[in-house]
Amino acid sequence: MEFDTVMMSRLLTGMTLAFHIIFATIGVGVPLMIAIAEFIGIRKNDPHYLMMARRWARGFVITVAIGVVTGTAIGLQLSLVWPNFMQLAGNVIALPLFMEVFAFFFEAIFLGIYLYTWDRFKSPYTHWALNIPVVLGAGMSAVFITTVNGFMNQPEGFAMENGQFAAVSPIAAMLNTATPTKVFHVLSSAYLTAAALLAAITAFAILKNRGKASDYHKKALKVLMSLVLVFGVLTALAGDLSAKFLADHQPEKLAAAEWHFESEKNADLVLFGWLDGEEPQGAIRIPGALSFLAFGDFNAEVTGLEEFPEEELPPLWVHYMFDLMVTIGGALIVIPLVYLVISRVKKWNEHNKGLLWLIAASGPMAFLAIEFGWFYAEVGRQPWILRGYMTVEEAATNSPYIGLMFFLFLALYIVLGTLCVITLRKLFRNNPAELELEKHYPHLKKEDDQ
Amino acid sequence: MSYEIIGISVLWIFLYGYLIVASVDFGAGFYAWYAKASKKDHIINQLISRYLSPVWEITNVFFVFFFVGIVGFFPDTAYYYGSALLVPGSIALVLLAIRGSFYAFENYGSKQSNVYMFLYGATGLLIPASLAVALTLSEGGFVIEEGNSVSLQYLELFTSPLSWSIVALALVSVLFISATFLTFYASRANDRPALKLVRSYALFWSTPTIIAALTAFIFLSQHNERHFENMMDLWWMLGLSVAFFMAAMWFLHSEKYYGLAFIFVMLQFFFAFFAYGIGHYPYILDPYITIQDGSTHESMGLALVIAFIGGLVLLIPSLILVFKLFLFDADYVKGKK
Ligand code: HDD
Ligand code: HEM
Ligand code: HEM
């Protein structure tokens, strides 16, 4: 590996996005969770759920701030680090980027209103409704940016004339073949991750309370685990559709993830293991499963890596990224299932230590799956920045200062990440939910812990 | 009107919008810190935080809007400015990041911290200074294209009187605009002691603003004669700008019509900013990018204009709602809600 300007540009962009996506995912997912909790709270007139909405919103503002500043960074870096790419592709992707800004605007305005108007309206539904534009705005910004990423994978909506784009159709570029599955998977995984994160925090709070769950925590855990299950299933479904999309349109990416060298029918799914030349060793093989994943048919033919020129192949380590994502995807369906089954059976205690620890782990696991998924999708696109049209090398800046900038931003993200954790801990450590409930709703009679 | 003219007009209007809201925000951050350092924070900081808390994210979006929009309408700007601005742009980004997030840590977190406060105040001045560099570059002579590479002439930039005068103008304008806004806000809140303090800031920074503007103008005439001549042709706009400034000063001195005073300051900057912008025409980056040659495909230009109109239909009612709830709701401003 050579650390030239191209490499440093890739590292800088990869690092910024890997950091931004943590907060962006929270930004997309958590408003929906807040909306659900507040809605149940108003419906059932149950202060516990209202308190969830309040506490989640309070933590949320801190993460939003980091989402906004890192998003601003990546937005400007697209031009600073990839000037050639933006000069060319800007002609085609400007529309979704521009609309994304309006989505942010919309989200920012209503978030400001929502946070500062908790008790200002007569009907509680008015305040609840102010969150809807936040949910929609964040969701739409994810949709728009994902169409841009789809375009980088499947450039469509233009004709090429002597090195320049001509006959540009912005809408066709946005609605490229990669967009539908990508948008579905990105949205469902963001909601899944937000639910898993909040569930993990709840489980952790119960564990810290020596396994004693208050009513507040019991209720929170139950809603959140149901949501994890729903969005877990949707995410797996969307992931399956994404794999089918790849098989049809970007077979080299799927083949690289599967270490699938020769085109063949009834192809096996290869999980983990390591490579000896072109032979996967020590891997778990599921006969025919790759054909099924790719085409929904155990006998379909899956294109292998042999059919592509060597210099156009992505690195093969993306195999692990893919496998880890899928494994976590499976776990995030099994864990809520187990929880829900146990909680149905009277004799069993769903708040037992082992299960709580599993739930507490599912939050970080979901974030890891997001990172693995993006690394798979982005590294799997190499060497292209615009698949088939422009390579990463042609796109990067040739400024000699790029290495320095990498370390500048690395330092920034370390500081931001650390302070974010410290601030959030301070915010909640001396202010447990029970205490706040008593303060806010003094009439609520003290309920017995179990 | 062709779509590239619509495009640049929209962008210039938004940049003007950012100039105003960001100045209020940056200046307020500086005053909040300054008041703390001079032990006057009990007088104004409550007022400042009541205004800033709900709006800082909105301010940031103005900035994002501008740079996404300019790259969208004029993709060549990504190439030239993007290549040239890697270092100053990254520094501005780091400052913006520190400011935005530390604001959140300080305000939504549970503990006040002097370090955050200081960084928040200091970045409030450093950011406008670093963003002003982009305006200086557009005058030409600092960004050079040789073969396939575009570079920034740092030595020339740092030794140019023009670039320093623009930085100085940016700094004093921020402090002046912000102080007049806070004067208006304090008068709405009926907060006498705060009013007295911020009004004195506004009066103090008025003279340096005019001096800095004149200095920048003179250095511009030496650096880019074409631009200067074009601006002289727009003498009536510059005249209006000065007239609004005088009227605003009159109101501030005679302690009345603070709302109108702020609007006049906005108009003062509006006319100066647009005389500057129109005089710049047709260049976006002298001599490499003009509005005509640098613009995007027609279909994209049209799509962007339509998206923009759609966006405004969504945004204007929402912004009115914010203003009603936070700026013009007397009880909120006074701190009763
Ligand atoms: C919680 C997060 C999460 C989970 C549990 C999964 N994924 Fe995923 N996956 C993502 C989060 C993600 C992502 C971060 O959202 C990606 C990255 C790029 C993208 O479009 O979505 C992604 C990409 C991605 C791609 C590449 C799409 C492309 O490059 O166009 C495929 C084929 C899958 N996923 C398949 C799956 C399968 C079969 C899963 C089985 C359960 C799965 N994912 C679980
Ligand atoms: C948010 C989650 C994302 C993560 C974690 C991520 C991660 C990465 C990584 C690791 C790289 C470096 C790849 C390599 O050099 O091998 C990269 C490159 C890049 N990504 Fe992404 N990416 C994300 C989303 C996006 C989106 C939504 C876009 C565009 C709209 C995008 C645009 C780019 C560009 C322009 C590059 C540089 C060119 C390249 O190396 O392919 N990324 N990203
Ligand atoms: C190249 C890729 C990306 C770019 C250029 C980008 C750009 C931005 C910008 C400029 C902001 C700040 C907006 C503001 O001022 O409010 C932002 C924030 C945000 N981004 Fe990204 N983004 C990228 C990737 C993503 C992805 C992949 C997602 C979602 C899956 C996403 C979701 C969000 C959300 C929800 C916010 C709002 C902040 C929050 O609520 O946390 N972004 N992004």
Side-chain angles (χ1 to χ4, degrees):
Chain A
M1 227 192 301
E2 197 192 339
F3 288 93
D4 52 5
T5 52
V6 176
M7 189 44 135
M8 293 317 286
S9 302
R10 296 164 71 179
L11 288 177
L12 176 54
T13 299
M15 173 176 71
T16 303
L17 279 161
F19 193 64
H20 176 61
I21 194 60
I22 297 173
F23 300 94
T25 303
I26 297 176
V28 174
V30 171
L32 182 68
M33 305 303 138
I34 296 176
I36 292 174
E38 194 178 358
F39 185 75
I40 302 179
I42 300 174
R43 246 357 246 281
K44 292 191 175 168
N45 199 3
D46 183 335
H48 284 125
Y49 292 97
L50 295 175
M51 187 49 68
M52 283 171 214
R54 269 180 196 261
R55 286 172 69 89
W56 297 345
R58 190 147 6 103
F60 179 64
V61 266
I62 310 266
T63 61
V64 166
I66 304 187
V68 168
V69 299
T70 53
T72 309
I74 182 61
L76 200 55
Q77 274 180 2
L78 281 185
S79 296
L80 295 177
V81 182
W82 309 98
N84 307 315
F85 165 68
M86 283 308 273
Q87 187 185 26
L88 180 73
N91 285 300
V92 192
I93 57 175
L95 182 65
L97 287 175
F98 197 59
M99 296 208 285
E100 194 195 8
V101 180
F102 280 106
F104 288 138
F105 239 129
F106 199 51
E107 183 204 351
I109 289 174
F110 281 92
L111 185 62
I113 301 179
Y114 181 80
L115 291 173
Y116 288 89
T117 52
W118 275 100
D119 298 312
R120 257 172 94 172
F121 301 105
K122 279 202 200 75
S123 160
Y125 284 110
T126 313
H127 182 254
W128 173 79
L130 287 169
N131 191 11
I132 304 293
V134 181
V135 177
L136 290 179
M140 286 316 285
S141 56
V143 170
F144 290 133
I145 197 68
T146 308
T147 68
V148 175
N149 190 261
F151 175 81
M152 295 168 61
N153 285 284
Q154 288 297 122
E156 289 162 19
F158 60 89
M160 201 75 176
E161 273 170 29
N162 35 27
Q164 289 293 322
F165 288 163
V168 170
S169 161
I171 304 284
M174 261 179 79
L175 302 179
N176 58 72
T177 348
T179 290
T181 46
K182 246 195 168 56
V183 165
F184 182 16
H185 198 41
V186 166
L187 279 182
S188 63
S189 63
Y191 296 133
L192 164 64
T193 306
L197 169 71
L198 295 171
I201 295 173
T202 312
F204 196 71
I206 302 175
L207 280 168
K208 270 191 65 180
N209 202 15
R210 273 164 282 120
K212 271 196 279 174
S214 64
D215 280 353
Y216 172 87
H217 286 124
K218 281 185 204 160
K219 288 177 184 171
L221 206 54
K222 188 141 207 172
V223 194
L224 289 166
M225 288 320 271
S226 317
L227 289 168
V228 170
L229 182 62
V230 171
F231 287 114
V233 172
L234 282 177
T235 301
L237 177 67
D240 182 48
L241 293 175
S242 297
K244 292 188 168 40
F245 157 80
L246 287 185
D248 273 337
H249 299 277
Q250 261 182 296
E252 75 279 14
K253 197 192 264 186
L254 188 66
E258 285 303 328
W259 287 347
H260 184 61
F261 291 93
E262 284 147 38
S263 299
E264 63 179 355
K265 292 193 169 146
N266 191 7
D268 297 351
L269 189 73
V270 177
L271 278 177
F272 299 103
W274 61 92
L275 265 187
D276 177 15
E278 294 203 347
E279 271 315 303
Q281 303 288 323
I284 309 165
R285 277 184 174 271
I286 310 178
L290 179 56
S291 288
F292 187 77
L293 180 72
F295 295 100
D297 169 3
F298 285 100
N299 283 317
E301 178 168 314
V302 182
T303 316
L305 289 170
E306 58 179 6
E307 298 192 22
F308 301 92
E310 186 133 6
E311 68 280 3
E312 287 186 13
L313 289 184
L316 293 179
W317 57 264
V318 293
H319 174 70
Y320 298 109
M321 301 287 109
F322 182 74
D323 285 358
L324 285 167
M325 167 178 68
V326 175
T327 311
I328 293 174
L332 290 181
I333 296 176
V334 174
I335 295 173
L337 260 183
V338 171
Y339 167 89
L340 290 173
V341 168
I342 295 186
S343 66
R344 278 289 136 100
V345 182
K346 278 258 157 52
K347 282 190 297 209
W348 293 341
N349 173 16
E350 72 271 27
H351 301 110
N352 74 63
K353 244 186 164 171
L355 189 55
L356 285 175
W357 274 116
L358 273 179
I359 297 174
S362 65
M365 271 174 9
F367 278 100
L368 283 175
I370 295 269
E371 298 284 352
F372 293 143
W374 276 108
F375 271 76
Y376 167 48
E378 299 288 299
V379 177
R381 190 184 64 232
Q382 301 305 313
W384 301 107
I385 190 166
L386 267 182
R387 184 166 168 271
Y389 291 93
M390 185 184 239
T391 60
V392 171
E393 252 178 283
E394 294 162 342
T397 180
N398 48 23
S399 165
Y401 301 109
I402 187 80
L404 217 59
M405 295 302 112
F406 173 83
F407 290 104
L408 178 70
F409 280 98
L410 178 64
L412 175 71
Y413 300 145
I414 292 176
V415 171
L416 290 187
T418 318
L419 289 179
C420 176
V421 173
I422 293 178
T423 311
L424 282 174
R425 281 194 48 184
K426 259 194 199 150
L427 198 58
F428 291 107
R429 195 175 40 195
N430 298 323
N431 189 12
E434 295 72 25
L435 212 76
E436 207 181 328
L437 270 165
E438 262 173 56
K439 245 191 275 167
H440 226 91
Y441 302 98
H443 58 278
L444 195 73
K445 73 171 191 314
K446 194 145 171 48
E447 280 145 301
D448 290 335
D449 289 353
Q450 65 172 164
Chain B
M1 225 191 325
S2 59
Y3 73 85
E4 62 263 20
I5 300 287
I6 301 180
I8 195 71
S9 313
V10 164
L11 290 172
W12 202 245
I13 291 171
F14 263 75
L15 193 58
Y16 166 75
Y18 182 64
L19 178 102
I20 298 294
V21 291
S23 292
V24 170
D25 181 31
F26 293 150
F30 176 79
Y31 288 130
W33 170 74
Y34 177 75
K36 184 144 197 161
S38 57
K39 303 237 164 10
K40 290 182 187 144
D41 44 331
H42 57 284
I43 308 181
I44 56 169
N45 283 13
Q46 170 77 7
L47 185 82
I48 290 179
S49 88
R50 280 194 87 69
Y51 165 73
L52 283 184
S53 304
V55 302
W56 77 269
E57 205 190 335
I58 303 176
T59 310
N60 191 62
V61 189
F62 268 92
F63 177 57
V64 176
F65 181 97
F66 179 75
F67 70 68
V68 170
I70 195 156
V71 171
F73 276 105
F74 307 99
D76 281 353
T77 54
Y79 176 65
Y80 287 97
Y81 281 109
S83 303
L85 283 173
L86 177 66
V87 176
S90 298
I91 292 174
L93 277 176
V94 170
L95 293 172
L96 275 169
I98 289 180
R99 183 181 162 82
S101 52
F102 282 27
Y103 179 75
F105 297 151
E106 155 92 33
N107 266 271
Y108 309 134
S110 48
K111 204 175 127 255
Q112 301 266 313
S113 144
N114 286 333
V115 182
Y116 289 169
M117 200 76 181
F118 168 72
L119 284 170
Y120 184 63
T123 50
L125 293 187
L126 290 172
I127 294 169
S130 63
L131 293 180
V133 171
L135 273 190
T136 314
L137 296 191
S138 73
E139 294 301 335
F142 303 109
V143 177
I144 304 287
E145 182 178 30
E146 287 162 323
N148 269 336
S149 96
V150 172
S151 59
L152 179 59
Q153 309 301 107
Y154 284 99
L155 187 66
E156 265 154 61
L157 184 68
F158 284 120
T159 52
S160 153
L162 176 66
S163 79
W164 290 109
S165 66
I166 290 184
V167 166
L169 176 59
L171 293 185
V172 291
S173 308
V174 161
L175 294 170
F176 177 59
I177 295 175
S178 185
T180 39
F181 174 79
L182 289 173
T183 308
F184 155 66
Y185 203 63
S187 81
R188 272 211 71 96
N190 244 338
D191 184 342
R192 292 267 134 217
L195 177 63
K196 192 159 160 262
L197 190 63
V198 288
R199 178 175 158 273
S200 74
Y201 294 158
L203 289 173
F204 178 83
W205 287 108
S206 60
T207 324
T209 306
I210 281 297
I211 296 177
L214 274 179
T215 322
F217 202 51
I218 292 167
F219 285 125
L220 179 68
S221 74
Q222 294 173 358
H223 187 89
N224 186 335
E225 203 167 334
R226 184 195 58 80
H227 190 181
F228 177 74
E229 297 291 334
N230 285 350
M231 279 177 79
M232 288 313 273
D233 291 344
L234 296 167
W235 56 269
W236 58 275
M237 290 181 91
L238 300 175
L240 275 176
S241 173
V242 175
F244 278 118
F245 170 74
M246 310 275 252
M249 290 321 294
W250 170 253
F251 292 148
L252 283 176
H253 264 292
S254 45
E255 301 186 28
K256 58 187 176 192
Y257 306 132
Y258 291 119
L260 208 56
F262 178 63
I263 290 177
F264 279 13
V265 167
M266 277 170 64
L267 288 171
Q268 170 204 342
F269 278 87
F270 180 87
F271 283 107
F273 194 68
F274 274 78
Y276 175 89
I278 297 169
H280 213 295
Y281 183 86
Y283 291 104
I284 297 180
L285 173 60
D286 205 344
Y288 297 108
I289 315 175
T290 63
I291 286 173
Q292 283 76 18
D293 297 343
S295 63
T296 183
H297 288 268
E298 203 164 323
S299 52
M300 178 54 86
L302 187 69
L304 291 179
V305 172
I306 295 173
F308 178 73
I309 294 170
L312 283 191
V313 171
L314 202 66
L315 286 188
I316 291 178
S318 331
L319 277 175
I320 292 176
L321 187 63
V322 175
F323 284 142
K324 261 178 73 169
L325 286 171
F326 297 117
L327 210 49
F328 296 115
D329 184 324
D331 284 345
Y332 177 81
V333 177
K334 285 175 193 155
K336 292 200 190 124
K337 270 186 189 169

